[in-house]
Amino acid sequence: MREVTTTEKAGGSMPDAFSREVGDLGTWIDQLPFVDHHCHAPLRPERIEGDGQAELRSTFTESTDPVTQQRDVPDTLVYRTMIRELARLLGSDATEAAVLAARQMTEPAAYHSQLAKDAGLEASYDDYLFSQADCYPPADWAKLTGLPVRPILRIETQAEQLLTSGVGDWTSFRKAFTDALDASVKSGAIAFKSIAAYRSGLALDQPDDSAVAAALDEAKRSVEQGEHFRLSALPLVAGLVWATFEYAAAASKPMPVQFHVGLGDDDVYLPSSNPALMRPLFREPRFHDVPVVLLHNYPYVRDAAYLANIYSNVYLDLGLTLPLAGYDAVPLIRQALGLAPVTKILASSDGHAMPEFQWFAIHHWRRALTEVLNGAISDGWVDGTNEAVEIAKGVLAGNAQRIYTAQPPAAAKPAG
Ligand SMILES: [Zn+2]
């Protein structure tokens, strides 16, 4: 990160209201806290083989093809840039081999907190049911970095766990599922997350109960026959999503629901992961106050920005897209800023597996946002450094802090 003066570090003074010196903006943006409102705890060290080369490479693609992971990733601009930046931080030569050797010289806890501190990470909201067995649990991750980690409940995985523990009909399953949502909130969950895009696609119209019940029966048969089960039938996924929104909407300040949108691994069929398909959820009057956070969004950034412009409860984020779309970040952020209010754009890393991903994503957000806002000042769309810093504060932390403060539904609180 850049060096700043002691006065700036104290955080007391804002840039001159009349300053048009665009060079100042990067210094300010580098100092702002970053609330990573969607990410995943890193791998525990025993899950990383050798010097970590294979893991580091595969973290920087969503592909599950080993050839892509190991042959192609080193040829991406984002990976090459990440290696150079990491070499600067670790004081090593700017080669992958030198960086891998240097990172092993530090204990995992010190290394994780070094990266978090260097990135200016303030808090992580952890979608913890992703690769749960291989990754640090939220509380352990918090200890590792000394920073707050708040869990996010992945609803499809929660439902799969309930299915394998034996279930009755849709009415009783739905009750068990809602009880699990409630338990997660009481133990600190800050949001729900749906991976419907990976499973059924996002055309999540409200299903009728008989279709959900039939899909649940089919799912139960698969589980009983010992098949590797993935919850993917559209009526069942949609039934769970609608049940989640009903639960979320019942709170005095509704819980946000995050959706994977757009790019991901080959499980995602891009045409059915366009967020515009979620229109029935956006138009449902009962869900009017439930924040819907569209994650990633590549290549549907403009679609997501349009939805954030039209619906008062829709927010968008470019996590994962940044850093993976690396050099394309500036136009993508500009697309978001075209239609979406600045108060509805959030930043996350979607950090996962190796901690370098979260670290690099946060730096990349700061750099790309600085470039976009500098351009906007020059073009007369943002009125100087003060307004740019105010926008950046919201995107990097404040917008998330405003919406992720939900309390459990009043009805779910213990009586008396
Ligand atoms: Zn994620």
Side-chain angles (χ1 to χ4, degrees), residues 38-40 127 130 154 193 198 258 260 295-296 320 350-352:
H38 177 87
C39 52
H40 309 269
D127 175 5
F130 166 75
R154 184 180 280 229
K193 153 85 185 293
Y198 278 112
Q258 300 182 342
H260 181 108
L295 301 170
H296 323 315
L320 185 64
D350 204 25
H352 60 283

mmCIF file of all heavy atoms in Angstrom, residues 38-40 127 130 154 193 198 258 260 295-296 320 350-352, ligand 1:
data_model
loop_
_atom_site.group_PDB
_atom_site.id
_atom_site.type_symbol
_atom_site.label_atom_id
_atom_site.label_comp_id
_atom_site.label_asym_id
_atom_site.label_seq_id
_atom_site.Cartn_x
_atom_site.Cartn_y
_atom_site.Cartn_z
ATOM 1 N N HIS A 38 -18.625 -10.860 0.913
ATOM 2 C CA HIS A 38 -18.821 -12.233 0.421
ATOM 3 C C HIS A 38 -17.467 -12.870 0.121
ATOM 4 O O HIS A 38 -16.765 -12.480 -0.819
ATOM 5 C CB HIS A 38 -19.690 -12.294 -0.830
ATOM 6 C CG HIS A 38 -19.788 -13.711 -1.334
ATOM 7 N ND1 HIS A 38 -20.740 -14.590 -0.882
ATOM 8 C CD2 HIS A 38 -18.996 -14.417 -2.172
ATOM 9 C CE1 HIS A 38 -20.549 -15.775 -1.438
ATOM 10 N NE2 HIS A 38 -19.496 -15.700 -2.227
ATOM 11 N N CYS A 39 -17.121 -13.848 0.929
ATOM 12 C CA CYS A 39 -15.865 -14.565 0.712
ATOM 13 C C CYS A 39 -15.956 -15.908 1.431
ATOM 14 O O CYS A 39 -16.997 -16.237 2.002
ATOM 15 C CB CYS A 39 -14.683 -13.742 1.243
ATOM 16 S SG CYS A 39 -14.873 -13.199 2.943
ATOM 17 N N HIS A 40 -14.885 -16.664 1.336
ATOM 18 C CA HIS A 40 -14.844 -17.999 1.940
ATOM 19 C C HIS A 40 -13.540 -18.141 2.696
ATOM 20 O O HIS A 40 -12.489 -17.671 2.231
ATOM 21 C CB HIS A 40 -14.925 -19.078 0.860
ATOM 22 C CG HIS A 40 -16.068 -18.874 -0.095
ATOM 23 N ND1 HIS A 40 -17.311 -19.422 0.094
ATOM 24 C CD2 HIS A 40 -16.161 -18.139 -1.230
ATOM 25 C CE1 HIS A 40 -18.114 -19.048 -0.899
ATOM 26 N NE2 HIS A 40 -17.446 -18.258 -1.712
ATOM 27 N N ASP A 127 -19.098 -17.247 3.536
ATOM 28 C CA ASP A 127 -20.028 -18.268 3.026
ATOM 29 C C ASP A 127 -19.374 -19.617 3.346
ATOM 30 O O ASP A 127 -18.680 -20.203 2.522
ATOM 31 C CB ASP A 127 -20.205 -18.023 1.518
ATOM 32 C CG ASP A 127 -21.061 -19.073 0.821
ATOM 33 O OD1 ASP A 127 -21.608 -19.960 1.505
ATOM 34 O OD2 ASP A 127 -21.169 -18.985 -0.417
ATOM 35 N N PHE A 130 -19.063 -23.728 1.852
ATOM 36 C CA PHE A 130 -18.319 -24.099 0.645
ATOM 37 C C PHE A 130 -17.046 -24.826 1.072
ATOM 38 O O PHE A 130 -16.268 -24.295 1.869
ATOM 39 C CB PHE A 130 -17.988 -22.830 -0.154
ATOM 40 C CG PHE A 130 -16.957 -23.017 -1.226
ATOM 41 C CD1 PHE A 130 -17.275 -23.658 -2.408
ATOM 42 C CD2 PHE A 130 -15.658 -22.553 -1.049
ATOM 43 C CE1 PHE A 130 -16.318 -23.835 -3.400
ATOM 44 C CE2 PHE A 130 -14.701 -22.717 -2.037
ATOM 45 C CZ PHE A 130 -15.032 -23.366 -3.210
ATOM 46 N N ARG A 154 -25.345 -20.845 3.412
ATOM 47 C CA ARG A 154 -25.605 -21.271 2.026
ATOM 48 C C ARG A 154 -26.823 -22.201 2.051
ATOM 49 O O ARG A 154 -26.753 -23.326 2.580
ATOM 50 C CB ARG A 154 -24.373 -21.999 1.496
ATOM 51 C CG ARG A 154 -24.469 -22.406 0.057
ATOM 52 C CD ARG A 154 -23.201 -23.107 -0.375
ATOM 53 N NE ARG A 154 -22.141 -22.181 -0.687
ATOM 54 C CZ ARG A 154 -21.402 -22.234 -1.814
ATOM 55 N NH1 ARG A 154 -21.608 -23.181 -2.705
ATOM 56 N NH2 ARG A 154 -20.457 -21.364 -2.045
ATOM 57 N N LYS A 193 -27.323 -17.160 1.422
ATOM 58 C CA LYS A 193 -26.707 -17.173 0.089
ATOM 59 C C LYS A 193 -27.314 -18.317 -0.699
ATOM 60 O O LYS A 193 -27.448 -19.428 -0.178
ATOM 61 C CB LYS A 193 -25.199 -17.389 0.258
ATOM 62 C CG LYS A 193 -24.477 -18.046 -0.920
ATOM 63 C CD LYS A 193 -24.081 -17.033 -1.975
ATOM 64 C CE LYS A 193 -23.478 -17.706 -3.212
ATOM 65 N NZ LYS A 193 -22.189 -18.341 -2.965
ATOM 66 N N TYR A 198 -25.982 -22.312 -9.952
ATOM 67 C CA TYR A 198 -25.214 -23.530 -10.218
ATOM 68 C C TYR A 198 -26.100 -24.758 -10.356
ATOM 69 O O TYR A 198 -25.625 -25.826 -10.720
ATOM 70 C CB TYR A 198 -24.268 -23.825 -9.040
ATOM 71 C CG TYR A 198 -22.975 -23.065 -9.019
ATOM 72 C CD1 TYR A 198 -22.720 -22.110 -8.055
ATOM 73 C CD2 TYR A 198 -21.986 -23.331 -9.960
ATOM 74 C CE1 TYR A 198 -21.522 -21.430 -8.008
ATOM 75 C CE2 TYR A 198 -20.780 -22.659 -9.922
ATOM 76 C CZ TYR A 198 -20.552 -21.711 -8.952
ATOM 77 O OH TYR A 198 -19.355 -21.047 -8.917
ATOM 78 N N GLN A 258 -28.023 -13.267 -0.678
ATOM 79 C CA GLN A 258 -27.041 -13.158 -1.763
ATOM 80 C C GLN A 258 -27.317 -14.240 -2.814
ATOM 81 O O GLN A 258 -27.704 -15.354 -2.470
ATOM 82 C CB GLN A 258 -25.622 -13.386 -1.219
ATOM 83 C CG GLN A 258 -25.190 -12.418 -0.145
ATOM 84 C CD GLN A 258 -23.756 -12.681 0.319
ATOM 85 O OE1 GLN A 258 -23.194 -13.760 0.103
ATOM 86 N NE2 GLN A 258 -23.156 -11.701 0.985
ATOM 87 N N HIS A 260 -25.422 -16.088 -6.215
ATOM 88 C CA HIS A 260 -24.387 -16.230 -7.239
ATOM 89 C C HIS A 260 -25.025 -15.881 -8.581
ATOM 90 O O HIS A 260 -26.074 -16.413 -8.931
ATOM 91 C CB HIS A 260 -23.850 -17.665 -7.262
ATOM 92 C CG HIS A 260 -22.764 -17.853 -8.283
ATOM 93 N ND1 HIS A 260 -21.443 -18.016 -7.939
ATOM 94 C CD2 HIS A 260 -22.818 -17.863 -9.635
ATOM 95 C CE1 HIS A 260 -20.729 -18.116 -9.042
ATOM 96 N NE2 HIS A 260 -21.534 -18.033 -10.093
ATOM 97 N N LEU A 295 -24.265 -11.209 -6.740
ATOM 98 C CA LEU A 295 -22.805 -11.344 -6.641
ATOM 99 C C LEU A 295 -22.178 -11.637 -8.004
ATOM 100 O O LEU A 295 -22.797 -12.324 -8.832
ATOM 101 C CB LEU A 295 -22.446 -12.499 -5.708
ATOM 102 C CG LEU A 295 -22.958 -12.438 -4.266
ATOM 103 C CD1 LEU A 295 -22.705 -13.777 -3.564
ATOM 104 C CD2 LEU A 295 -22.309 -11.315 -3.487
ATOM 105 N N HIS A 296 -20.989 -11.175 -8.214
ATOM 106 C CA HIS A 296 -20.120 -11.484 -9.382
ATOM 107 C C HIS A 296 -20.604 -10.790 -10.662
ATOM 108 O O HIS A 296 -19.968 -9.916 -11.179
ATOM 109 C CB HIS A 296 -19.977 -12.991 -9.611
ATOM 110 C CG HIS A 296 -19.899 -13.808 -8.376
ATOM 111 N ND1 HIS A 296 -19.115 -13.448 -7.311
ATOM 112 C CD2 HIS A 296 -20.526 -14.970 -8.001
ATOM 113 C CE1 HIS A 296 -19.237 -14.352 -6.355
ATOM 114 N NE2 HIS A 296 -20.079 -15.280 -6.743
ATOM 115 N N LEU A 320 -15.206 -11.670 -7.303
ATOM 116 C CA LEU A 320 -14.816 -12.768 -8.185
ATOM 117 C C LEU A 320 -14.527 -12.260 -9.595
ATOM 118 O O LEU A 320 -13.477 -12.559 -10.157
ATOM 119 C CB LEU A 320 -15.860 -13.896 -8.228
ATOM 120 C CG LEU A 320 -15.471 -15.143 -9.039
ATOM 121 C CD1 LEU A 320 -14.272 -15.854 -8.422
ATOM 122 C CD2 LEU A 320 -16.642 -16.125 -9.147
ATOM 123 N N ASP A 350 -14.772 -12.539 -2.934
ATOM 124 C CA ASP A 350 -15.028 -13.964 -3.155
ATOM 125 C C ASP A 350 -13.747 -14.766 -2.904
ATOM 126 O O ASP A 350 -13.535 -15.832 -3.494
ATOM 127 C CB ASP A 350 -15.597 -14.271 -4.538
ATOM 128 C CG ASP A 350 -16.375 -15.598 -4.538
ATOM 129 O OD1 ASP A 350 -16.858 -15.999 -3.467
ATOM 130 O OD2 ASP A 350 -16.470 -16.233 -5.599
ATOM 131 N N GLY A 351 -12.896 -14.263 -2.033
ATOM 132 C CA GLY A 351 -11.680 -14.977 -1.653
ATOM 133 C C GLY A 351 -12.001 -16.406 -1.233
ATOM 134 O O GLY A 351 -13.011 -16.659 -0.585
ATOM 135 N N HIS A 352 -11.139 -17.319 -1.620
ATOM 136 C CA HIS A 352 -11.339 -18.725 -1.303
ATOM 137 C C HIS A 352 -9.998 -19.431 -1.488
ATOM 138 O O HIS A 352 -9.083 -18.882 -2.116
ATOM 139 C CB HIS A 352 -12.393 -19.351 -2.227
ATOM 140 C CG HIS A 352 -12.014 -19.277 -3.675
ATOM 141 N ND1 HIS A 352 -12.120 -18.108 -4.409
ATOM 142 C CD2 HIS A 352 -11.484 -20.200 -4.509
ATOM 143 C CE1 HIS A 352 -11.695 -18.342 -5.649
ATOM 144 N NE2 HIS A 352 -11.297 -19.588 -5.744
HETATM 145 ZN ZN ZN B 1 -18.422 -17.243 -3.162
#
